[in-house]
Amino acid sequence: MRAKKGFTLRTVVGENIIVPEGKENIDVTNIVSMNESAALLWQSIVDKESFTAEDLAQILTDNYEVDEDTALTDATAIAAKWIETGIAEE
């Protein structure tokens, strides 16, 4: 997987929001709001060539008190959500 180009994480009124940039990403019907851990994951992978759910799980276990199985379950779910909303692609 990889993050699609043209999406930037910004903090707006204390909330983490993915902001589309450029004409190709102008569809604002899918505003993506992220909690603190999702924002950390996004910041960690946005400039990488690619990432896996396992990479995301490792970031979670490195930064939070969470076991590997829970981290992988959560990472897999968020990666699928990012693909569904169009901010990441396989």
Side-chain angles (χ1 to χ4, degrees), residues 31-71:
I31 299 295
V32 179
S33 176
M34 294 188 175
N35 64 20
E36 179 184 326
S37 56
L40 171 69
L41 292 174
W42 183 261
Q43 290 170 327
S44 299
I45 60 87
V46 71
D47 292 326
K48 295 193 180 291
E49 184 74 25
S50 66
F51 67 92
T52 64
E54 289 79 9
D55 295 331
L56 297 177
Q58 185 64 54
I59 295 165
L60 290 174
T61 58
D62 288 349
N63 288 278
Y64 298 98
E65 291 184 22
V66 60
D67 64 85
E68 291 178 17
D69 289 338
T70 301

